[in-house]
Amino acid sequence: MSTTQSERLRELLEPLVTDQGLDLEEIAVDSVGRKRVLRVVVDSDTGADLDQIADVSRVLSAKLDETDAMGAGEYTLEVGTPGAERLLKEHRHYERAVDRLVKFQLTEGGELVARILEVDDEGLDVEVPGVKGRRATARRLAFSDFDKARVQVEFSRKDKKEEEA
């Protein structure tokens, strides 16, 4: 997808997504055989449920039908959320990942898996899980200390409500 088309689609669709109470996270146009697929990823601080996804999909579809933003050819519109193992890019992504386990690719080399405790403008306070019975340790990461960060799926962790009960 050309930068011009990407920018034009973002300018066209972002206000509509925002009006629905969501953030436009990503837009991608892919060719699948002879068809094109427009993938729109949305999210919010509280997540997006299926009803919100359906509502925003209808609004975006109507707007795209009344414009030539996708050109004359056929395309499929797919609207969804970032998924469980999302890549963290924006400051708001880190804020939404507080209390989640994240794998960091460190700029100095290597990886670190830690739970995000707090986020501010300079970086993150994280908790590195203990290994083999050792206690977890606190650590401060500046945003410049890592190149990439991705949320990790946890199957066995109790949520806060279960722990408080």
Side-chain angles (χ1 to χ4, degrees), residues 4-164:
T4 306
Q5 184 183 25
S6 175
E7 290 170 357
R8 198 169 73 188
L9 284 168
R10 182 169 283 280
E11 287 175 15
L12 178 69
L13 303 179
E14 192 160 29
L16 301 171
V17 172
T18 302
D19 287 347
Q20 297 291 315
L22 300 169
D23 296 318
L24 178 60
E25 297 293 347
E26 188 178 324
I27 294 177
V29 177
D30 297 313
S31 294
V32 180
R34 294 181 182 175
K35 289 191 171 186
R36 292 176 302 148
V37 177
L38 171 58
R39 290 186 175 88
V40 177
V41 178
V42 298
D43 202 8
S44 77
D45 290 343
T46 58
D49 64 30
L50 289 175
D51 289 335
Q52 289 175 300
I53 298 294
D55 290 344
V56 77
S57 182
R58 280 190 289 275
V59 168
L60 298 183
S61 181
K63 187 63 164 183
L64 289 165
D65 287 348
E66 71 183 43
T67 68
D68 68 342
M70 287 299 294
E74 288 185 29
Y75 68 93
T76 301
L77 172 63
E78 293 181 1
V79 179
T81 58
E85 292 187 0
R86 77 173 304 162
L87 187 63
L88 305 177
K89 297 177 185 177
E90 306 283 334
H91 192 271
R92 69 177 178 265
H93 299 164
Y94 294 98
E95 290 174 339
R96 292 174 184 163
V98 167
D99 203 36
R100 301 284 309 270
L101 198 62
V102 175
K103 182 188 285 185
F104 297 92
Q105 297 291 324
L106 302 175
T107 54
E108 62 194 31
E111 297 177 343
L112 173 69
V113 176
R115 187 169 312 284
I116 297 177
L117 301 175
E118 285 190 40
V119 180
D120 59 35
D121 291 339
E122 286 81 41
L124 315 166
D125 291 326
V126 299
E127 179 183 73
V128 181
V131 180
K132 296 183 182 179
R134 294 190 179 141
R135 299 191 79 129
T137 56
R139 182 169 172 182
R140 176 74 180 169
L141 288 176
F143 287 114
S144 61
D145 291 340
F146 56 93
D147 295 319
K148 288 183 4 182
R150 184 176 298 276
V151 171
Q152 301 297 287
V153 174
E154 294 181 85
F155 293 107
S156 61
R157 183 163 192 253
K158 294 180 184 175
D159 68 16
K160 286 183 178 184
K161 291 177 188 172
E162 289 179 39
E163 290 175 3
E164 291 171 0

